[in-house]
Amino acid sequence: MLDVPRALAHESVLMGESPLLVWVEAGALALALVVLAALLSRVVRRVLFAAFVGAKAVALAAVLRLRGRSDAGPVVVRRGFEELGPTYIKLGQLVASSQGLFPERYSLEFRKCLDRVRPFPFADVEATLHADLGKDPAEIFESIDPKPLASASIAQVHVARTRDGQDVVIKVQRPKIAMMVEADLRVLKVAARIMNAMPLGELANPVAIVEDFESNIREELDFRREAENLTEFNRIMKEHGQTRVAAPQPIAGLTTPRVLVMERFFGSRVDEVDKLKAANIDGEELLLLGMRAWFQCLILHGFFHGDVHAGNLMALSDGRIGFLDFGIVGRFGRERREQVTDYLMAFSAGDFRKLAEVMHAMGSMGGDIDLDAVAKDLARAYEPLLAKEDSAMKYADVIPAIMRTAVRHGMRMPRDFVLVVKQMLYFDRYAKLLAPKLNVFRDPRIMAALATDMMEAKMRAA
């Protein structure tokens, strides 16, 4: 290999120049190249940009505090996340949908991230379709609506019709999002380690939150996995005779890591109560049907939809209930399935000692734990919520109660357990809208179905 500094030094002797001067010049050149490479690194640029946005946020928060705005923190952080782009908006959506796991004022403020994602140009949509499908989009689609049906942090969706007349939706990934996510994840991992070293930081488990976020977002970035999840859900529904529950069918040959074409569903979101009433749809019946399907997936197959917010659950115009967006799914082994089911049954029965034992078995407590004391704290937190048979459970109160108990007893909540509880929060929210007297944990129809599925799961395992 050519030794540039030595070669330059040798040449300098021939030319009468000082070898020392040449070494200094060569060192300066090497340093300049290193600095240039660092500046060109996407990771370094994202770190610098994040630091810049963070500094602006801190300065703005300080100014607002001096002006008497002590409640401005959530607004400042939310604006910073929006400025940092899609990865942080996605993280903000996690905060918004995990009420109780984060301070309530932050969860409420970050709900604004759910519908504030800017669409990207239709020209980029067409370019991605052409690159990934290998044809001009006009050869495959009779029409594509240039106005997005939805624009999210990872992708955006357009309504289209294929050349054979089928109504479909096209999900197209944001340009260069994969590279940006990789850089942002490195920044978030460092931030999580720093937070983990702070007082009570380990109990909040920021490292695990970022790891879970990383796992989810990596899976979401490959639309082939989502297509597989859609197919698996429909297979499970067919196996259990659930003819009124479905996910959109992917269109064969039109799925790539960045493009997913699937059948279009027509109907209303489950939280659009007025539309459901106008269509004479029994919201309670539909919700129970969807919950039964969700529990069957979880208990019998260890597979479940991990993000059933209202935009992903539809009352279809043909009387079915549709589950959309399978970018986030949970997968449990047999042991974890049994633990989660035991937790649900103990919760519904008000058996708080059993509840404490299950949480301990999940690995969320250390070895030296007073289970009786934990049971008493759980009873104190939950009994008022379970006392009335005709009232829906208030998960917005339950989850903070879990977290307070966790801090008091040095518990760490398992990530997969939190994912399940999050979905139950969604179902409870829909119950309050569609069937105010329905208690999603104590309703005998739900409990009977849960017990039936548990028995079948045990028979399969025997």
Side-chain angles (χ1 to χ4, degrees):
M1 181 181 291
L2 180 63
D3 190 331
V4 175
R6 289 184 183 276
L8 289 173
H10 176 70
E11 185 177 349
S12 70
V13 171
L14 298 177
M15 298 179 64
E17 296 181 7
S18 167
L20 179 60
L21 178 60
V22 174
W23 277 98
V24 170
E25 290 175 346
L29 177 61
L31 180 60
L33 290 173
V34 169
V35 171
L36 179 61
L39 290 175
L40 292 175
S41 164
R42 182 176 293 273
V43 174
V44 172
R45 282 188 281 123
R46 291 299 290 173
V47 169
L48 293 175
F49 183 54
F52 171 70
V53 172
K56 279 203 312 182
V58 170
L60 178 59
V63 170
L64 292 174
R65 184 173 289 275
L66 289 174
R67 293 177 179 176
R69 289 284 306 278
S70 59
D71 61 340
V75 176
V76 170
V77 176
R78 189 258 305 161
R79 288 179 179 174
F81 273 38
E82 289 178 347
E83 187 174 353
L84 285 167
T87 310
Y88 289 85
I89 291 174
K90 186 71 178 177
L91 186 59
Q93 291 170 349
L94 172 65
V95 175
S97 62
S98 303
Q99 194 173 5
L101 300 181
F102 300 92
E104 184 175 4
R105 58 200 186 106
Y106 281 87
S107 292
L108 292 174
E109 179 63 30
F110 272 92
R111 286 184 185 176
K112 295 176 182 177
C113 287
L114 296 174
D115 57 3
R116 291 196 178 187
V117 185
R118 294 178 182 176
F120 56 90
F122 184 62
D124 289 334
V125 172
E126 293 180 305
T128 300
L129 290 175
H130 194 289
D132 281 38
L133 300 181
K135 294 181 180 179
D136 187 316
E139 297 180 41
I140 303 171
F141 303 100
E142 178 184 304
S143 63
I144 304 175
D145 189 344
K147 182 180 179 181
L149 178 67
S151 181
S153 53
I154 297 296
Q156 78 187 25
V157 176
H158 290 260
V159 172
R161 176 170 289 179
T162 61
R163 281 289 176 185
D164 59 5
Q166 183 176 4
D167 290 313
V168 297
V169 292
I170 307 172
K171 187 174 182 179
V172 182
Q173 200 168 110
R174 287 183 173 273
K176 300 180 180 179
I177 183 68
M179 292 185 292
M180 184 181 292
V181 166
E182 287 298 326
D184 288 339
L185 284 173
R186 296 188 185 185
V187 177
L188 289 171
K189 287 178 182 178
V190 172
R193 292 191 192 101
I194 293 172
M195 291 176 62
N196 202 62
M198 296 179 179
L200 298 181
E202 188 176 358
L203 288 177
N205 209 0
V207 173
I209 290 173
V210 171
E211 287 176 352
D212 186 46
F213 177 70
E214 177 183 15
S215 175
N216 287 335
I217 202 168
R218 284 191 191 282
E219 188 162 329
E220 284 190 83
L221 285 170
D222 188 344
F223 291 170
R224 293 171 301 183
R225 292 187 180 182
E226 182 174 354
E228 292 170 358
N229 293 336
L230 291 167
T231 301
E232 183 173 359
F233 180 82
N234 284 326
R235 180 193 63 76
I236 292 172
M237 292 301 99
K238 184 176 181 180
E239 177 182 333
H240 295 286
Q242 291 279 25
T243 58
R244 293 183 59 199
V245 184
Q249 290 281 2
I251 306 303
L254 297 181
T255 298
T256 74
R258 299 190 301 165
V259 174
L260 173 59
V261 182
M262 54 195 146
E263 70 171 308
R264 184 183 179 186
F265 277 173
F266 294 90
S268 304
R269 290 163 46 125
V270 292
D271 62 347
E272 294 178 322
V273 180
D274 292 339
K275 289 184 179 180
L276 300 187
K277 288 181 179 179
N280 200 28
I281 293 174
D282 186 335
E284 180 174 349
E285 179 195 15
L286 210 62
L287 179 60
L288 289 171
L289 187 66
M291 289 186 66
R292 178 67 198 280
W294 187 84
F295 276 121
Q296 282 181 320
C297 287
L298 168 65
I299 296 170
L300 297 174
H301 301 273
F303 166 89
F304 63 93
H305 194 299
D307 195 20
V308 287
H309 64 72
N312 289 338
L313 201 58
M314 287 184 68
L316 304 183
S317 55
D318 60 8
R320 296 181 299 163
I321 185 167
F323 284 77
L324 310 179
D325 193 354
F326 277 72
I328 299 177
V329 299
R331 295 184 184 274
F332 290 166
R334 177 185 169 187
E335 182 181 10
R336 184 62 90 200
R337 274 185 270 168
E338 291 177 352
Q339 289 171 342
V340 170
T341 306
D342 287 345
Y343 184 95
L344 299 177
M345 297 300 287
F347 200 3
S348 65
D351 186 346
F352 300 108
R353 170 69 192 201
K354 177 65 175 178
L355 206 62
E357 291 174 355
V358 174
M359 292 174 72
H360 186 269
M362 284 181 175
S364 57
M365 307 181 193
D368 187 20
I369 289 289
D370 186 344
L371 292 179
D372 289 326
V374 174
K376 287 180 181 179
D377 281 347
L378 291 174
R380 191 177 300 112
Y382 298 161
E383 275 184 330
L385 301 172
L386 296 174
K388 295 182 180 180
E389 295 290 341
D390 62 346
S391 64
M393 188 175 295
K394 298 177 181 178
Y395 279 95
D397 297 328
V398 169
I399 300 180
I402 294 176
M403 300 309 293
R404 286 193 294 271
T405 301
V407 171
R408 188 176 301 116
H409 295 280
M411 296 189 294
R412 176 182 290 181
M413 305 310 299
R415 287 179 291 165
D416 46 13
F417 166 76
V418 172
L419 187 61
V420 168
V421 172
K422 176 179 151 185
Q423 308 321 306
M424 296 309 300
L425 184 153
Y426 284 135
F427 286 128
D428 176 69
R429 189 176 301 160
Y430 309 145
K432 289 176 181 176
L433 292 171
L434 304 174
K437 293 186 177 182
L438 175 66
N439 184 317
V440 298
F441 255 99
R442 305 203 78 175
D443 186 90
R445 294 164 293 181
I446 297 174
M447 290 301 104
L450 194 61
T452 300
D453 293 338
M454 286 176 60
M455 289 294 294
E456 183 177 344
K458 289 179 179 178
M459 290 175 63
R460 289 186 177 192

